[in-house]
Amino acid sequence: MTRTSALSTSLSLLLLSLAPACGPKSSAGATPPAEAPTFAAQAQRGQALYGEHCASCHGASGEGGRAPALVGESALPQAPSGGQRDVEFRTAGDVFQWMKTHMPPNAPGSLGDAAYLDILAFDLQANKVDPGPAPLDADSAAQVVLHP
């Protein structure tokens, strides 16, 4: 056997031995994934993040304080009402984009998209806005109309 032929045979055997580990798995006996992500689970994560990053200004329950209310009748009005905000909140996507750019005030943009979306999910849930069972992402948030 030539050296090239022996090398080729060795590589073939190695690839064949790895194929079962890398290929598709049979569903028989497979463990299902933990819990599929949901909007409710996202909002629950957002509640903890809200408490950590937002409550000191917006109130423990989003009722307002040093900063505007995020929960209740006066929460997230469409038109800017002074302060830092200079954009209209027509959709949850508008809120998401604004949050990413301005919050928290001492470190804007520092939380990352996933955390901002979790906090937004908590805020929407607290305001009884139901975007459906799937977790929010930037695209789906843009479809959640707050003010028609």
Side-chain angles (χ1 to χ4, degrees):
M1 195 184 269
T2 68
R3 182 172 181 190
T4 305
S5 160
L7 181 59
S8 176
T9 301
S10 295
L11 284 173
S12 295
L13 289 173
L14 177 63
L15 290 174
L16 285 174
S17 70
L18 291 175
C22 298
K25 303 226 185 291
S26 164
S27 61
T31 306
E35 185 180 333
T38 63
F39 175 77
Q42 184 180 38
Q44 188 172 16
R45 287 190 310 271
Q47 183 175 12
L49 289 165
Y50 174 89
E52 184 179 341
H53 299 285
C54 313
S56 63
C57 293
H58 291 282
S61 300
E63 70 279 5
R66 293 185 298 168
L70 298 178
V71 177
E73 292 293 318
S74 65
L76 305 175
Q78 180 175 345
S81 56
Q84 281 188 308
R85 187 163 69 114
D86 57 356
V87 298
E88 289 193 354
F89 287 164
R90 292 176 201 230
T91 70
D94 297 332
V95 178
F96 170 62
Q97 292 301 323
W98 194 87
M99 290 168 63
K100 287 178 21 170
T101 305
H102 297 91
M103 292 290 121
N106 60 344
S110 64
L111 302 182
D113 284 7
Y116 288 112
L117 286 163
D118 289 353
I119 293 167
L120 179 58
F122 165 66
D123 189 32
L124 293 175
Q125 185 178 64
N127 282 295
K128 299 179 180 15
V129 175
D130 182 7
L136 285 178
D137 60 27
D139 292 332
S140 64
Q143 303 306 310
V144 178
V145 177
L146 301 175
H147 305 284

